[in-house]
Amino acid sequence: MTVPSRGATPGPSEPSEPAGSSGQSRLTHIDAAGAARMVDVSAKDVTARTARATGRVLVAPRVIELLRGEGVPKGDALATARIAGIMGAKRTPDLIPLCHPLSVSGVKLDLSVADDAVEIAATVKTTDRTGVEMEALTAVTVAALTVIDMVKAVDKGAVITDVRVEEKTGGKSGDWSRA
């Protein structure tokens, strides 16, 4: 992606796509003078939109044992992280300054214990004028932070990794999925 040159007039658009994709060629949250701005979505159609994001929390083998067995000292880590992620999705515009407040119609958050990590997937739905990619990413990230909080007594070295949008549907730019 490139920054708009002085004098360019960016218009309303969907969130920028990852580098190398067929998305926007400019940063939509930067105006012609280089100042941060909230994108005006008033001319966009209200449509059904979804986004799915994933991430992982790499943890020590002892944490895997506890999550698969008797549990971690603070309680049900995965249930707590699931609720935190859902709450995070609903609070995204309070955390990310230029995100629009959206009517989130559904959040599904799945956490599973792999051999070396807790894997997290969030799907967020809305019927609104802009997408819910940031809400899905926030859900995954808040859930991951909560996993770390729940396991830090056992594993102070847990690492959040691979947080990314996997797919989105709806809106003017249409459907997109990670290749």
Side-chain angles (χ1 to χ4, degrees):
M1 291 184 282
T2 60
V3 176
S5 62
R6 300 274 177 187
T9 308
S13 65
E14 289 295 302
S16 298
E17 301 289 344
S21 72
S22 60
Q24 295 290 321
S25 63
R26 64 183 177 265
L27 299 175
T28 59
H29 286 78
I30 307 294
D31 69 14
R37 70 175 181 115
M38 186 177 210
V39 175
D40 181 357
V41 297
S42 60
K44 290 183 168 189
D45 292 332
V46 172
T47 62
R49 299 160 186 264
T50 64
R52 186 173 63 86
T54 60
R56 301 179 53 156
V57 182
L58 303 176
V59 293
R62 178 64 181 142
V63 171
I64 299 298
E65 291 172 22
L66 289 168
L67 291 173
R68 288 180 173 164
E70 73 255 21
V72 293
K74 287 189 176 184
D76 189 342
L78 301 184
T80 303
R82 182 177 300 106
I83 296 299
I86 292 168
M87 291 174 64
K90 297 188 315 183
R91 303 296 294 202
T92 299
D94 295 333
L95 301 169
I96 314 289
L98 300 178
C99 282
H100 293 83
L102 299 176
S103 176
V104 172
S105 54
V107 180
K108 180 181 179 197
L109 209 116
D110 294 313
L111 292 97
S112 60
V113 181
D115 289 339
D116 63 343
V118 175
E119 296 180 343
I120 305 167
T123 302
V124 181
K125 295 181 178 183
T126 189
T127 303
D128 218 313
R129 297 182 188 278
T130 191
V132 284
E133 295 91 338
M134 295 307 299
E135 287 74 7
L137 289 165
T138 301
V140 168
T141 304
V142 171
L145 288 167
T146 303
V147 168
I148 287 180
D149 183 48
M150 297 296 288
V151 306
K152 68 185 179 192
V154 176
D155 182 5
K156 293 182 182 4
V159 175
I160 298 170
T161 186
D162 299 324
V163 176
R164 61 192 184 193
V165 174
E166 297 292 346
E167 62 185 347
K168 63 87 106 190
T169 65
K172 181 179 173 184
S173 67
D175 299 351
W176 177 88
S177 64
R178 186 170 296 283

